Amino acid sequence: MTDLRAGALEALAQQTIELPSWAFGNSGTRFKVFGQPGVARDPFEKLEDAAQVHAHTGVAPRVSLHIPWDRVEDYGTLAKHAADLGLRLGAINSNLFQDDDYRLGSLTHPDAAVRRKAIAHHAECVDVMRATGSTDLKLWLPDGTNYAGQDDLRARQDRLAESLQEIYALLDPGMRLLVEYKFFEPYFYATDIPDWGTSLLHCLALGEQAQVVLDTGHHAPGTNIEFIVMQLLRAGRLGAFDFNSRNYADDDLIVGSADPFQLFRIMNEIVQNGALLDAGVNFMLDQCHNIEPKIPGQIRSVMNVQEATAKALLVDRDALREAQTAGDVLGANAVLMDAYGTDVRPLLAELREGRGLDADPYAAYARSGYQERIARERVGGRQAGWGA
Amino acid sequence: MTDLRAGALEALAQQTIELPSWAFGNSGTRFKVFGQPGVARDPFEKLEDAAQVHAHTGVAPRVSLHIPWDRVEDYGTLAKHAADLGLRLGAINSNLFQDDDYRLGSLTHPDAAVRRKAIAHHAECVDVMRATGSTDLKLWLPDGTNYAGQDDLRARQDRLAESLQEIYALLDPGMRLLVEYKFFEPYFYATDIPDWGTSLLHCLALGEQAQVVLDTGHHAPGTNIEFIVMQLLRAGRLGAFDFNSRNYADDDLIVGSADPFQLFRIMNEIVQNGALLDAGVNFMLDQCHNIEPKIPGQIRSVMNVQEATAKALLVDRDALREAQTAGDVLGANAVLMDAYGTDVRPLLAELREGRGLDADPYAAYARSGYQERIARERVGGRQAGWGA
Amino acid sequence: MTDLRAGALEALAQQTIELPSWAFGNSGTRFKVFGQPGVARDPFEKLEDAAQVHAHTGVAPRVSLHIPWDRVEDYGTLAKHAADLGLRLGAINSNLFQDDDYRLGSLTHPDAAVRRKAIAHHAECVDVMRATGSTDLKLWLPDGTNYAGQDDLRARQDRLAESLQEIYALLDPGMRLLVEYKFFEPYFYATDIPDWGTSLLHCLALGEQAQVVLDTGHHAPGTNIEFIVMQLLRAGRLGAFDFNSRNYADDDLIVGSADPFQLFRIMNEIVQNGALLDAGVNFMLDQCHNIEPKIPGQIRSVMNVQEATAKALLVDRDALREAQTAGDVLGANAVLMDAYGTDVRPLLAELREGRGLDADPYAAYARSGYQERIARERVGGRQAGWGA
Amino acid sequence: MTDLRAGALEALAQQTIELPSWAFGNSGTRFKVFGQPGVARDPFEKLEDAAQVHAHTGVAPRVSLHIPWDRVEDYGTLAKHAADLGLRLGAINSNLFQDDDYRLGSLTHPDAAVRRKAIAHHAECVDVMRATGSTDLKLWLPDGTNYAGQDDLRARQDRLAESLQEIYALLDPGMRLLVEYKFFEPYFYATDIPDWGTSLLHCLALGEQAQVVLDTGHHAPGTNIEFIVMQLLRAGRLGAFDFNSRNYADDDLIVGSADPFQLFRIMNEIVQNGALLDAGVNFMLDQCHNIEPKIPGQIRSVMNVQEATAKALLVDRDALREAQTAGDVLGANAVLMDAYGTDVRPLLAELREGRGLDADPYAAYARSGYQERIARERVGGRQAGWGA
């Protein structure tokens, strides 16, 4: 156990989690977006907020951007701002769902002109990557149909394959194309990349630089997500996570809030398959803080990922393997549950204090006065949001 | 069969379907609302569009309003406009989800002042009912929580019960309070009226004027909706339907588009239990035409309900009962499937032509030039939508 | 925290969990029942196995019987055997699913003779209750249909209501009728008591001695079970739990194994609503140990319920209420999660050691030699199972 | 329309559907298997019953066998019996779920000896194929785990890959290995081939003779099955269907009974992608007639597939493509729905009468006296079933 604990501390010290810039803007449901005092108004302010999360947790040094929400005149300046805050810019997310031309699709649209437009948007994103030093181009395809017969499912796949090839061709060596799948929404009959199988088939056709993104909220009810994690690792194609929680649809709640045991099982597959560090898996958050404050919401999310990781690192893998080999069903399960039942907050407190941080990042942020300051200072302007 | 057909024609001639005013405004997902040319810009134009649906189908003489989306200076004028168009105003829908005060709830909010505001909104709605002659006050409670522990589930029920009592007390004799339930959205941990059982318990506590609304999109995956229809009829508390289709969440697609057999089974319970006419069940549409044109979308919806109803009316109930009593599983099912397999379009063509209407309302509308006219004329102003 | 801990210990000392006799017999899927060495061959041996669970955990003093699986010549002798082992006989479960006459239903069957037979079976069960001192008659209605139209859903409800009235009339004062609902299986179109609403309506019609049983595996995907717990407590009609786990269907896995956080949330509603002790809620297990050994499986199950209960008891309810009242979404959730994140195994070890038990019942049983002894001694005869 | 109708008739005349031998034996749930009078007692009688289905429908000339349920001394005699009845023997199904050794897995079992046994069973199946002229070896892997941690998910995949390679090596040229996936059951934490992606990855690793089987009941709630059909066709790896219906789990109801529109959409993808004839897709039934008679149940199933196929063949593909290309959402959907709304029973009556068959196979069988005869004659012996 001492060895496990020491090893866990060491791994946790190297773990990093990437924050999404859009978590610091307003979000909501189709019914209502509730504004909140002090919400960031531009990409620079979002980075400042993200820096708070990193300052208090010590493990969130990167921020994903979303284009066009984070479009700025000079990306070099933005990258410099990030660096000054102790951050780096992470994945660049393209947007294929907010242009009027995309009503019936983007990369799959029947009209080649619309597809070209959607492809060209990725050229802009790759330019942003070059300017910011980002290496991950993240593509969530929102395309789909609402009614049976609305379009030809097969033709859409073929058009998608062609569009993806053109985007892939834009990449520099060392860049990756991360392809996300989603069960449904914003279309409700069929989405064009609904599952990991479809995403993987496209990645395999593209080449080594194409990898799959697993968003924990993008599956059918009952799906065993850790199985998919294992399968994508086995295929060498798990590029990144979008972490969040769901109870029903793509609820985008705080990661670990709906089913902390699931998050633990996911991290357990990561650890079991040696993919926590240096395996090319980017651990990103993708959440909507619709009713809770954004920065504390992100801090809590980072803490939840850390706790699940810590528990996964505490699994006694020798004992586990022994019980599994012996066919000891309850014994093997008990090894896992022992780690899960462990209170890892003292371990994480030790990690943080070893870095000169407060043991409780959430409380430390609350005491810091930052929230009150931004609520006071950020008046005027337009709060950032999905439509911004 | 001749008798069945004649009886079906007679019942279909009396059937009515209520249209929602908001179907004629723009709607969308949390990601994007796509505008469409010619969309109505105010309640008067919505009624004009609804009148087209009625003019071509002959069975849609009522329109539900939504307050505040359909707020006007003088509801008498609006009712007069409806009457001039051959319509009546139907259910009045309150709105508890678009006020900043409702971030943590409305009728269930911990703060009594917020609850009072939400109750007062219903007093306004009852005033609208008096001014328009509407008898149905429809309440969908969007309240809920996103995180376990966020609020006390039981206390929320108690507050809800009190709020509903105050609203119920506002009703005139002859008015009904229709209480809708919803599995999830816009909150993702618990909604405060998630199922028919909760809705019914509150209605039973309120009194005879309280009835349940069944929205066909508001159930967990796999739920047998026709069973609930039967159960609410058995309890004497099925007040109304909100018809639409879902494949995944509350997709709000065109009724009958995702699972036409389910719609048939629902109408079969209605017919079997004698609730098609004069039983106090209001058959309403509640859909979002996010990508398709609104008026044709409503016409198609009305036609789908008519077709399902026609098939249900063609079920040979004597043969069905005989097979059921005999324990003839396949035979009883076959009686139902025979009716479902029947092409009822000729029957409905006969119904329409008997009224001097075109056999195909969808085609007739397309030929009418109305769509081109509104696209041409309705320039300027702001298109109606959920936020309007 | 000290107070919370002391209070938790006190409550945990009074908590009891009821074991199902059938957990000690073989079970399986429709594909295969795997036998296990040493499995009990009759009700007496089942009680001996159950006594082991109680001996090591100290909180499982009652055993539910299932008729006819546990049919014996003389129930007095069986009750005496239980008493000698330190146990009492708990709920009596009727069986409506294994008679050839019940192919199309039991209490709902179109044929009155079949219904009479099914009702008469409950008279036998009530006799068993009188002979054993049991006060709970538990009725799971497996009735349902596989095909639309197969039978009249409404007529089945009416027949069910009549049958239940006759069963209810059999009860002595002080006896309860516990009515369980189930989403699906063994029928796959509609079950006749599919949800808590249906169960509750029947209980309300019957009278005060009728209560609802909530089996944690009998819900649609995504259902918020703790909400139903709260709602049934609010209605004063939560009679009992059947505890188990599900990932997909009615998987009947070890309680707390699929989603320990859900079990915690359920126990949190129990504690929050004062229903842990003396509220008439019978906490029963209902599981299938298809591949794991039965007695250790039951011990693990009891431990899981204890751990969830302990965590629920550690929730700081003052702090929770304060955060809820203040609308502090993250703060309120954090109060809950703090309790959930606590390692309660030391607390439970203290509880057990205070009773002279081993801190780890699972390990203590493994060391006891009982498993080896029954495997050695119970040769010949027929192992008990669902068909026995 | 005339052309469509003529083309439909021509295609329907060539369509074939394969029957499962086990549909003619008893089946049930984990709770109960209800016997039925006249049920076949051995593979020879099963073939005689299957021949009735073919005699009345004209489109069911093949029967799948299941080993060991259909194990006989001399497969040549069985094949001869089939030929005498106008049938051929189809896919050979292996059985990996009814041996005591397979409690913790078969092809994935930690113990190499168990894996060897499971592989050897397929050698027997290939021998049966050689003796019967069958070319399809169908493998449904029931392996899985019930508890997190019970076994190493990744190691199980690696063992599975090795086992499959050994089985694949057994095949003669011209033989196919058909690999089925299943979401869950008989294990409830993770199945080892839970989805089409996993099945396809293994097939791609094996080679061209490995193809995927799509069982319509083996998906998560809400899964768009016709999308998977399209995707597997696009990958050139759709080997076969197991047709049945589900509302909840793997209900194994009559195909087309739960959602006839879904079956139509599936057949629509088949027709749209030119895979109805000569494309190597084997259209098989796989159902459980738990409460309805078996032969009529199979006849109804065949008719349901024919009706869905007929409707798919009547889709006006030119009009569909035109509407799709024009972005006419409602118009394109209407083309599909027009075909679906068509009553195809007259068309199928014409097809049957053109072959000298009765227009209504179900009624013709009922009149034939066969059911009464087998009920009279098949006394004694043991009825076939899953355990037989």
Side-chain angles (χ1 to χ4, degrees):
Chain A
M1 190 66 183
T2 318
D3 283 356
L4 275 175
R5 200 174 189 282
L9 263 180
E10 196 175 337
L12 289 165
Q14 298 176 65
Q15 181 183 30
T16 62
I17 296 160
E18 184 164 317
L19 308 180
S21 70
W22 55 95
F24 301 99
N26 289 321
S27 60
T29 67
R30 59 176 171 152
F31 295 104
K32 172 73 176 169
V33 175
F34 293 102
Q36 294 184 11
V39 162
R41 294 161 300 179
D42 60 39
F44 293 89
E45 289 184 352
K46 291 184 200 171
L47 289 176
E48 288 157 24
D49 292 354
Q52 287 293 311
V53 179
H54 185 45
H56 290 287
T57 64
V59 296
R62 294 187 312 282
V63 182
S64 312
L65 299 186
H66 186 113
I67 306 300
W69 300 341
D70 295 320
R71 207 173 260 158
V72 293
E73 295 268 321
D74 182 345
Y75 288 98
T77 308
L78 193 67
K80 172 71 165 54
H81 190 63
D84 291 347
L85 293 160
L87 301 174
R88 281 190 300 122
L89 297 178
I92 302 301
N93 291 257
S94 63
N95 182 317
L96 297 171
F97 53 90
Q98 286 186 318
D99 192 293
D100 282 329
D101 286 342
Y102 298 157
R103 184 172 56 96
L104 302 180
S106 61
L107 299 179
T108 65
H109 199 286
D111 183 343
V114 177
R115 297 200 298 277
R116 275 196 301 273
K117 175 175 178 172
I119 293 165
H121 169 56
H122 291 84
E124 177 192 353
C125 290
V126 171
D127 284 342
V128 174
M129 292 169 73
R130 289 178 188 130
T132 58
S134 169
T135 56
D136 285 353
L137 174 59
K138 183 150 144 272
L139 186 160
W140 165 52
L141 184 79
D143 293 13
T145 48
N146 272 355
Y147 296 102
Q150 177 188 326
D151 200 1
D152 182 325
L153 297 180
R154 167 71 175 272
R156 292 176 78 89
Q157 287 298 309
D158 294 340
R159 296 192 293 256
L160 173 59
E162 285 178 23
S163 297
L164 288 174
Q165 273 181 327
E166 295 201 38
I167 292 170
Y168 191 78
L170 297 168
L171 299 180
D172 295 339
M175 287 183 177
R176 303 193 301 175
L177 177 63
L178 302 179
V179 181
E180 190 166 343
Y181 60 92
K182 185 171 182 181
F183 186 48
F184 75 94
E185 196 204 28
Y187 296 96
F188 305 107
Y189 164 64
T191 44
D192 291 308
I193 308 185
D195 50 25
W196 71 267
T198 299
S199 188
L200 180 59
L201 278 185
H202 284 290
C203 287
L204 291 173
L206 290 171
E208 292 287 333
Q209 287 168 265
Q211 304 241 309
V212 178
V213 179
L214 188 157
D215 182 307
T216 47
H218 289 189
H219 302 84
T223 301
N224 185 320
I225 295 175
E226 61 268 28
F227 181 92
I228 299 175
V229 170
M230 174 279 295
Q231 197 66 274
L232 289 172
L233 288 173
R234 188 171 183 268
R237 295 282 180 154
L238 180 60
F241 281 98
D242 265 8
F243 274 133
N244 51 55
S245 282
R246 73 181 289 276
N247 287 301
Y248 305 98
D250 184 30
D251 305 340
D252 280 330
L253 301 176
I254 288 177
V255 57
S257 69
D259 187 349
F261 184 49
Q262 181 186 63
L263 182 59
F264 162 73
R265 297 193 311 266
I266 289 171
M267 294 312 300
N268 178 56
E269 287 302 321
I270 289 292
V271 171
Q272 172 72 19
N273 288 277
L276 184 62
L277 307 169
D278 310 318
V281 182
N282 190 352
F283 298 86
M284 307 189 290
L285 302 181
D286 179 19
Q287 303 172 161
C288 292
H289 303 299
N290 294 348
I291 57 171
E292 69 271 21
K294 281 82 165 77
I295 300 170
Q298 288 285 293
I299 289 173
R300 169 62 67 186
S301 307
V302 167
M303 292 169 71
N304 285 355
V305 175
Q306 285 187 293
E307 291 181 16
T309 307
K311 292 180 179 194
L313 289 164
L314 291 181
V315 172
D316 184 337
R317 306 229 163 247
D318 292 335
L320 183 63
R321 196 174 314 109
E322 193 175 338
Q324 289 172 342
T325 307
D328 180 0
V329 174
L330 289 173
N333 176 249
V335 172
L336 210 70
M337 299 315 289
D338 275 351
Y340 182 67
T342 303
D343 190 339
V344 294
R345 290 173 299 181
L347 178 71
L348 289 165
E350 184 178 332
L351 173 75
R352 290 171 192 134
E353 288 171 344
R355 285 172 161 170
L357 300 175
D358 193 286
D360 182 347
Y362 183 84
Y365 172 76
R367 281 194 312 269
S368 74
Y370 184 85
Q371 192 76 32
E372 293 76 8
R373 184 163 67 75
I374 57 176
R376 201 170 55 235
E377 295 182 356
R378 291 179 183 168
V379 288
R382 181 173 175 172
Q383 294 190 330
W386 284 14
Chain B
M1 190 65 182
T2 318
D3 283 356
L4 275 174
R5 200 174 188 282
L9 263 179
E10 197 175 334
L12 290 165
Q14 299 176 64
Q15 182 183 30
T16 62
I17 296 159
E18 184 164 317
L19 308 180
S21 71
W22 54 95
F24 302 98
N26 288 321
S27 60
T29 67
R30 59 176 170 152
F31 294 105
K32 171 71 175 170
V33 175
F34 293 102
Q36 293 183 11
V39 162
R41 294 162 299 179
D42 59 40
F44 294 89
E45 289 184 351
K46 291 184 200 171
L47 289 176
E48 289 156 24
D49 292 355
Q52 287 293 311
V53 179
H54 185 44
H56 290 287
T57 63
V59 296
R62 294 187 312 281
V63 181
S64 312
L65 298 186
H66 186 114
I67 307 300
W69 299 341
D70 295 319
R71 207 174 260 160
V72 293
E73 295 268 321
D74 181 346
Y75 289 97
T77 307
L78 193 66
K80 173 72 167 52
H81 189 63
D84 292 346
L85 292 161
L87 302 174
R88 281 190 299 123
L89 298 179
I92 302 303
N93 291 257
S94 63
N95 182 316
L96 297 171
F97 53 89
Q98 286 185 319
D99 192 293
D100 281 329
D101 286 343
Y102 297 158
R103 183 172 57 96
L104 302 179
S106 61
L107 299 178
T108 66
H109 198 287
D111 183 342
V114 177
R115 298 200 297 277
R116 275 196 301 274
K117 174 176 178 171
I119 293 164
H121 169 57
H122 291 84
E124 177 192 354
C125 290
V126 171
D127 285 341
V128 173
M129 293 168 73
R130 289 179 188 129
T132 58
S134 170
T135 56
D136 285 353
L137 174 59
K138 185 150 144 271
L139 186 161
W140 163 52
L141 184 80
D143 293 14
T145 48
N146 273 355
Y147 296 101
Q150 177 188 326
D151 200 1
D152 183 324
L153 296 180
R154 168 72 175 271
R156 291 175 80 88
Q157 287 298 309
D158 294 341
R159 297 191 295 255
L160 173 59
E162 286 178 24
S163 297
L164 287 174
Q165 275 181 327
E166 295 201 37
I167 292 170
Y168 191 79
L170 298 168
L171 299 180
D172 296 338
M175 286 183 176
R176 304 193 299 177
L177 177 63
L178 302 179
V179 181
E180 189 166 342
Y181 59 92
K182 185 171 183 181
F183 187 47
F184 75 95
E185 196 203 27
Y187 296 95
F188 304 107
Y189 165 64
T191 44
D192 291 307
I193 308 185
D195 50 24
W196 71 268
T198 299
S199 188
L200 180 61
L201 278 185
H202 284 289
C203 287
L204 291 172
L206 290 171
E208 292 287 332
Q209 287 168 264
Q211 303 241 308
V212 177
V213 179
L214 188 157
D215 183 306
T216 47
H218 290 189
H219 302 86
T223 301
N224 184 320
I225 296 175
E226 61 267 28
F227 182 93
I228 300 174
V229 170
M230 174 279 296
Q231 198 65 274
L232 289 173
L233 288 173
R234 188 170 184 267
R237 296 282 179 155
L238 179 60
F241 283 97
D242 266 6
F243 275 134
N244 51 55
S245 282
R246 73 181 288 278
N247 287 299
Y248 305 98
D250 184 30
D251 306 338
D252 279 331
L253 300 176
I254 287 179
V255 57
S257 68
D259 187 349
F261 184 49
Q262 181 187 63
L263 182 59
F264 163 73
R265 296 193 312 267
I266 289 171
M267 294 312 299
N268 178 57
E269 287 302 321
I270 290 292
V271 171
Q272 171 72 20
N273 287 278
L276 184 62
L277 307 170
D278 308 319
V281 182
N282 190 352
F283 298 87
M284 307 188 290
L285 303 181
D286 179 19
Q287 304 171 162
C288 293
H289 304 298
N290 294 349
I291 57 171
E292 69 272 20
K294 280 82 166 77
I295 301 170
Q298 289 284 293
I299 290 174
R300 169 62 66 186
S301 306
V302 168
M303 292 169 71
N304 285 356
V305 175
Q306 283 186 294
E307 291 181 15
T309 308
K311 292 181 180 195
L313 288 164
L314 290 181
V315 172
D316 183 338
R317 306 230 163 245
D318 293 334
L320 183 63
R321 196 175 312 110
E322 193 175 338
Q324 289 172 343
T325 306
D328 180 359
V329 174
L330 288 173
N333 176 250
V335 172
L336 211 70
M337 299 313 290
D338 276 351
Y340 182 66
T342 303
D343 189 339
V344 294
R345 290 173 298 180
L347 179 71
L348 290 165
E350 185 178 331
L351 173 75
R352 289 170 192 137
E353 288 171 344
R355 287 172 159 171
L357 300 175
D358 193 286
D360 182 347
Y362 183 84
Y365 172 76
R367 281 194 311 269
S368 73
Y370 185 85
Q371 192 77 32
E372 292 76 8
R373 184 162 67 76
I374 57 176
R376 200 170 54 235
E377 295 182 354
R378 291 179 182 169
V379 288
R382 181 172 174 173
Q383 295 191 328
W386 284 13
Chain C
M1 190 63 183
T2 317
D3 283 356
L4 275 175
R5 200 174 188 283
L9 262 179
E10 196 175 338
L12 290 165
Q14 298 176 66
Q15 181 182 31
T16 62
I17 297 160
E18 185 164 318
L19 308 181
S21 70
W22 54 95
F24 302 99
N26 288 321
S27 60
T29 67
R30 58 175 171 154
F31 295 105
K32 171 73 176 170
V33 175
F34 293 103
Q36 293 183 11
V39 161
R41 294 162 300 179
D42 59 42
F44 294 88
E45 289 184 352
K46 291 184 201 170
L47 289 176
E48 288 156 25
D49 292 355
Q52 287 293 311
V53 179
H54 185 45
H56 290 287
T57 64
V59 296
R62 292 187 314 281
V63 181
S64 313
L65 299 186
H66 186 114
I67 307 300
W69 300 341
D70 295 319
R71 208 173 259 160
V72 293
E73 294 269 322
D74 181 346
Y75 289 98
T77 308
L78 192 67
K80 171 72 167 53
H81 189 64
D84 291 347
L85 293 161
L87 301 174
R88 280 190 301 121
L89 298 178
I92 303 302
N93 291 257
S94 63
N95 181 316
L96 297 170
F97 53 90
Q98 286 186 319
D99 191 294
D100 282 328
D101 286 343
Y102 298 157
R103 184 171 56 96
L104 302 179
S106 61
L107 299 178
T108 66
H109 198 286
D111 183 342
V114 176
R115 298 200 297 277
R116 275 195 302 272
K117 174 176 178 171
I119 293 164
H121 170 56
H122 291 84
E124 177 192 354
C125 290
V126 171
D127 284 341
V128 174
M129 293 168 73
R130 290 178 187 131
T132 58
S134 170
T135 55
D136 285 354
L137 174 59
K138 184 151 145 271
L139 187 161
W140 164 52
L141 184 79
D143 293 13
T145 48
N146 273 355
Y147 297 101
Q150 178 188 326
D151 200 1
D152 182 324
L153 296 179
R154 168 72 175 272
R156 291 176 77 88
Q157 287 298 308
D158 294 341
R159 296 192 293 256
L160 173 60
E162 285 178 25
S163 298
L164 288 173
Q165 274 181 327
E166 294 201 37
I167 292 170
Y168 191 78
L170 298 167
L171 299 179
D172 296 337
M175 287 183 176
R176 303 193 300 177
L177 177 64
L178 302 179
V179 182
E180 189 165 341
Y181 59 93
K182 184 169 182 181
F183 186 48
F184 75 94
E185 196 206 23
Y187 296 96
F188 305 107
Y189 164 63
T191 44
D192 291 307
I193 309 185
D195 51 24
W196 71 268
T198 298
S199 188
L200 181 60
L201 278 185
H202 284 289
C203 287
L204 291 172
L206 289 172
E208 291 288 333
Q209 287 168 264
Q211 303 242 312
V212 178
V213 179
L214 188 157
D215 182 306
T216 47
H218 289 188
H219 302 85
T223 301
N224 184 319
I225 295 176
E226 61 268 27
F227 182 92
I228 299 175
V229 170
M230 173 280 294
Q231 197 66 275
L232 289 173
L233 288 173
R234 189 171 183 268
R237 296 281 180 155
L238 180 60
F241 281 97
D242 266 7
F243 274 133
N244 52 55
S245 281
R246 73 181 287 278
N247 288 300
Y248 305 97
D250 183 30
D251 305 340
D252 280 329
L253 301 175
I254 288 178
V255 58
S257 68
D259 187 350
F261 184 49
Q262 181 187 62
L263 182 60
F264 163 73
R265 298 193 311 267
I266 289 171
M267 295 311 300
N268 178 56
E269 287 302 321
I270 289 292
V271 171
Q272 172 71 19
N273 287 278
L276 184 63
L277 307 169
D278 309 320
V281 182
N282 189 352
F283 299 86
M284 305 188 292
L285 302 182
D286 179 20
Q287 302 172 162
C288 293
H289 303 298
N290 294 348
I291 57 171
E292 68 272 21
K294 281 68 165 92
I295 301 170
Q298 288 285 293
I299 290 174
R300 170 62 67 187
S301 306
V302 168
M303 293 169 71
N304 286 355
V305 175
Q306 284 187 294
E307 291 180 17
T309 308
K311 292 181 180 194
L313 289 163
L314 291 180
V315 172
D316 184 338
R317 307 226 163 249
D318 292 336
L320 183 63
R321 195 175 314 108
E322 193 175 339
Q324 289 172 343
T325 307
D328 180 359
V329 174
L330 289 172
N333 176 249
V335 172
L336 211 70
M337 298 315 289
D338 275 351
Y340 182 67
T342 303
D343 189 339
V344 293
R345 290 174 298 181
L347 179 70
L348 289 165
E350 185 178 333
L351 173 75
R352 290 171 191 135
E353 289 171 344
R355 287 172 158 171
L357 301 174
D358 194 285
D360 182 346
Y362 183 84
Y365 172 76
R367 281 194 312 269
S368 73
Y370 185 84
Q371 192 78 32
E372 292 76 8
R373 183 162 67 76
I374 57 175
R376 200 169 54 235
E377 295 182 356
R378 291 179 182 168
V379 287
R382 182 172 173 173
Q383 294 191 329
W386 283 14
Chain D
M1 189 65 183
T2 317
D3 284 356
L4 274 175
R5 200 174 188 282
L9 263 180
E10 197 176 336
L12 289 165
Q14 299 176 64
Q15 182 182 30
T16 62
I17 297 160
E18 184 164 317
L19 308 180
S21 71
W22 55 96
F24 301 99
N26 288 320
S27 59
T29 67
R30 59 177 171 152
F31 295 105
K32 172 71 176 170
V33 175
F34 292 102
Q36 293 184 10
V39 161
R41 294 162 300 179
D42 60 40
F44 293 89
E45 289 185 350
K46 290 184 200 169
L47 289 177
E48 288 156 26
D49 292 356
Q52 287 293 311
V53 179
H54 185 45
H56 290 287
T57 64
V59 296
R62 292 187 314 282
V63 181
S64 312
L65 299 186
H66 186 113
I67 307 299
W69 300 341
D70 295 319
R71 206 174 261 158
V72 294
E73 294 268 321
D74 182 345
Y75 289 97
T77 307
L78 192 66
K80 172 71 166 52
H81 189 64
D84 292 345
L85 293 161
L87 302 174
R88 280 191 300 122
L89 298 179
I92 302 301
N93 291 256
S94 63
N95 182 316
L96 297 170
F97 54 89
Q98 286 187 318
D99 192 293
D100 282 328
D101 286 342
Y102 298 157
R103 184 171 57 96
L104 302 180
S106 60
L107 299 178
T108 66
H109 198 287
D111 183 341
V114 177
R115 298 200 298 276
R116 276 196 300 273
K117 174 177 178 170
I119 294 164
H121 169 56
H122 291 84
E124 176 192 354
C125 290
V126 171
D127 285 342
V128 174
M129 293 169 72
R130 288 178 189 132
T132 58
S134 170
T135 55
D136 285 353
L137 174 59
K138 184 149 145 271
L139 187 161
W140 164 51
L141 185 80
D143 293 13
T145 48
N146 272 355
Y147 297 102
Q150 177 188 326
D151 200 3
D152 183 323
L153 296 180
R154 167 72 175 272
R156 291 176 78 88
Q157 287 297 309
D158 294 341
R159 297 192 293 255
L160 172 60
E162 285 178 24
S163 298
L164 288 174
Q165 274 181 327
E166 296 201 37
I167 292 170
Y168 191 80
L170 298 168
L171 300 180
D172 296 337
M175 286 182 177
R176 304 193 299 177
L177 178 63
L178 302 179
V179 181
E180 190 166 343
Y181 59 93
K182 185 170 181 180
F183 186 47
F184 75 95
E185 196 206 22
Y187 295 96
F188 304 107
Y189 165 64
T191 44
D192 291 307
I193 309 185
D195 51 24
W196 71 267
T198 298
S199 187
L200 181 60
L201 278 185
H202 283 290
C203 287
L204 291 173
L206 290 171
E208 292 288 332
Q209 286 168 264
Q211 303 241 308
V212 178
V213 180
L214 187 157
D215 182 306
T216 47
H218 290 189
H219 302 86
T223 301
N224 185 320
I225 295 176
E226 61 267 28
F227 182 92
I228 299 175
V229 170
M230 174 279 295
Q231 198 65 275
L232 289 173
L233 288 172
R234 188 171 184 268
R237 296 282 179 154
L238 179 60
F241 282 97
D242 265 8
F243 275 133
N244 51 55
S245 281
R246 72 181 288 279
N247 287 299
Y248 304 98
D250 183 30
D251 305 339
D252 279 330
L253 301 176
I254 287 179
V255 56
S257 68
D259 187 349
F261 184 49
Q262 181 186 62
L263 182 59
F264 163 73
R265 297 194 310 267
I266 288 171
M267 294 311 301
N268 179 56
E269 287 303 322
I270 289 292
V271 171
Q272 171 72 19
N273 286 278
L276 183 64
L277 306 170
D278 309 318
V281 182
N282 189 353
F283 298 86
M284 306 189 291
L285 303 181
D286 180 18
Q287 303 172 161
C288 292
H289 303 299
N290 294 348
I291 57 171
E292 68 272 22
K294 295 18 171 133
I295 300 170
Q298 288 285 293
I299 289 174
R300 170 62 66 187
S301 306
V302 168
M303 292 169 72
N304 286 355
V305 174
Q306 284 187 294
E307 292 181 16
T309 308
K311 292 181 179 194
L313 288 164
L314 291 180
V315 171
D316 184 337
R317 306 231 162 246
D318 292 335
L320 183 64
R321 196 173 314 109
E322 193 175 338
Q324 288 172 344
T325 306
D328 180 359
V329 174
L330 289 173
N333 176 249
V335 172
L336 211 69
M337 299 313 290
D338 275 351
Y340 182 66
T342 303
D343 189 339
V344 293
R345 291 174 297 182
L347 179 71
L348 289 165
E350 184 178 332
L351 173 75
R352 288 169 194 139
E353 288 171 344
R355 286 172 159 172
L357 300 175
D358 195 285
D360 182 346
Y362 183 83
Y365 172 76
R367 281 193 313 270
S368 73
Y370 185 84
Q371 191 78 31
E372 292 77 8
R373 184 163 68 75
I374 57 175
R376 202 170 52 236
E377 295 181 355
R378 291 181 182 167
V379 287
R382 183 172 174 174
Q383 295 190 329
W386 284 14

